[in-house]
Amino acid sequence: MDEYTPKERLARALKGESVDRMPAISVTQTGTVEQMEACGAFWPEANEDAEKMATLAEAGHKVIGFEAVRVPFDITAEAEFFGCDIKAGTKEQQPSVVGHIVKSMDDIAKLKDYDISKGRVGVVCEAIRILAEKYGNELPIMGSMLGPFSLAQHMNGDDWFMAIMTDEEFGHALMELTTEFNIAYAKKMVENGADTMVIIDPTASAMLIGDEFYQKFVVPAHKKIADAMRELNVATVLHICGDTTPSLPLMESSGVDAISVDQNVDAATACGMVDKAVIIGNLDPVSALWKKTPEEIQKISQDVLDTGVGLLAPGCGIVSKTPNANLQAMVEAAKSHKY
């Protein structure tokens, strides 16, 4: 079988095509304190400065061995872009959304005129440009964004879960805004060099809102993003937190190329629940990758590989205190696996 560049290998793997071996990647956030110390780019500055963001993303490749570079590291830039209050992060902790801005249809109308180059979403796009200029011919350049349902929840607060059930006009209007933003943001990342797009939509779970509302509000939004990326020949990966096992067919119906499942999902079952989508996962980022030894990680990785996953990866974002050696053990397990 032909050998491929990392860029070719991941592109083929995400389409379910044959490759020489498994790519070694993480579709969720990659930054850790040990990588920051190795490259000199630290949170929170690496969340806000394009050069430092690119440097820390590069450390995932140069220090850990991931065969892709990926930004950003947090999921608050989108909400901050629209004006939500953000609690600043630290070297070890990610920023979080603490204030919401949308309560009415009038609030939504006021947010429709925006400039995608502004704020931290602009910083992410610039970091992608920096990485693409350096690695774009060889490595996959992975862009990631908070998905439209979770962005709507950040903007509306906890009222959002009730709003979609009691005021569908409002719910659809806010989802239309966030979905159009996601598409514009994704296109800008692609314009700057991204060739793979990850949708992180943690609260868009059928376990939280039920199949009916997932079908009504989430599937159409994800499908619009996946369709827009397909027109640009960009693969899409969808990650939703929690046990998404029962809703995997619904998730696949949006047309994404791959689904990242978290540690609460039985990976073997997940592989049998989808038709064409590639299943990615799902080492526990806390109890395994952070807490275990490299030798234990090798064994756990093999157990996950034995389930038939298409790509080995963390089940959620990597914990900032995760040792480099543990991530390197996962990477080596992936690199040594032939389908």
Side-chain angles (χ1 to χ4, degrees):
M1 184 179 291
D2 293 336
E3 290 189 6
Y4 299 97
T5 67
K7 194 180 190 79
E8 294 168 337
R9 187 178 293 115
L10 181 60
R12 291 179 64 88
L14 288 173
K15 295 175 184 176
E17 297 176 356
S18 61
V19 289
D20 51 337
R21 63 164 173 81
M22 180 175 284
I25 54 96
S26 171
V27 299
T28 52
Q29 95 80 19
T30 61
T32 64
V33 173
E34 287 190 9
Q35 289 179 65
M36 296 177 205
E37 293 170 344
C39 72
F42 294 84
W43 293 342
E45 294 82 9
N47 288 326
E48 300 160 357
D49 179 276
E51 290 282 355
K52 292 178 180 179
M53 184 181 293
T55 297
L56 182 54
E58 182 182 39
H61 171 61
K62 295 177 69 174
V63 176
I64 303 302
F66 286 130
E67 297 177 303
V69 286
R70 180 202 183 282
V71 291
F73 309 105
D74 74 306
I75 54 172
T76 65
E78 298 84 357
E80 183 178 2
F81 176 82
F82 281 108
C84 293
D85 292 331
I86 307 295
K87 179 182 177 181
T90 67
K91 185 175 78 171
E92 297 181 356
Q93 193 169 37
Q94 296 284 20
S96 57
V97 177
V98 295
H100 316 289
I101 57 165
V102 172
K103 293 297 182 184
S104 68
M105 295 287 282
D106 287 343
D107 292 335
I108 296 172
K110 294 174 185 176
L111 296 172
K112 290 186 177 182
D113 184 19
Y114 51 78
D115 182 349
I116 208 73
S117 67
K118 302 297 185 181
R120 276 202 296 134
V121 298
V123 170
V124 172
C125 292
E126 177 61 14
I128 286 174
R129 186 194 62 78
I130 294 167
L131 291 166
E133 287 184 355
K134 189 168 186 178
Y135 292 108
N137 292 329
E138 175 192 359
L139 294 179
I141 310 296
M142 303 177 72
S144 176
M145 60 185 178
L146 183 70
F149 189 87
S150 299
L151 176 55
Q153 191 266 320
H154 275 173
M155 294 167 73
N156 187 228
D158 289 340
D159 292 344
W160 176 239
F161 299 104
M162 183 60 68
I164 62 171
M165 301 178 188
T166 61
D167 190 346
E168 288 196 9
E169 181 184 7
F170 173 81
H172 283 299
L174 186 50
M175 283 297 294
E176 181 179 355
L177 173 68
T178 57
T179 303
E180 289 180 353
F181 163 80
N182 276 131
I183 293 170
Y185 185 20
K187 286 182 175 180
K188 185 65 176 180
M189 284 191 268
V190 173
E191 179 184 322
N192 281 28
D195 53 56
T196 309
M197 191 59 54
V198 183
I199 306 166
I200 307 288
D201 218 345
T203 59
S205 171
M207 295 293 288
L208 289 175
I209 63 175
D211 288 354
E212 176 187 352
F213 289 97
Y214 186 93
Q215 179 75 59
K216 188 178 296 184
F217 286 94
V218 181
V219 172
H222 289 169
K223 187 176 188 306
K224 287 179 182 177
I225 299 169
D227 287 349
M229 292 297 97
R230 187 170 295 106
E231 289 180 1
L232 299 174
N233 196 31
V234 171
T236 51
V237 179
L238 174 61
H239 178 86
I240 295 177
C241 296
D243 184 0
T244 55
T245 307
S247 54
L248 284 168
L250 269 177
M251 294 168 67
E252 184 181 29
S253 72
S254 65
V256 294
D257 297 283
I259 298 172
S260 167
V261 296
D262 95 352
Q263 58 274 9
N264 292 299
V265 175
D266 179 78
T269 301
C271 291
M273 294 284 291
V274 295
D275 182 20
K276 294 181 179 179
V278 173
I279 294 296
I280 302 175
N282 66 339
L283 276 70
D284 192 311
V286 177
S287 66
L289 287 171
W290 178 19
K291 299 292 188 180
K292 301 292 186 183
T293 66
E295 294 73 23
E296 290 171 315
I297 297 299
Q298 284 278 355
K299 172 63 169 61
I300 295 167
S301 295
Q302 189 57 55
D303 290 343
V304 175
L305 289 167
D306 289 343
T307 68
V309 294
L311 289 164
L312 180 70
C316 198
I318 295 168
V319 178
S320 64
K321 294 183 180 181
T322 303
N324 286 347
N326 285 3
L327 295 175
Q328 290 161 349
M330 180 184 68
V331 163
E332 287 308 309
K335 288 181 176 179
S336 64
H337 182 71
K338 297 185 183 297
Y339 294 98

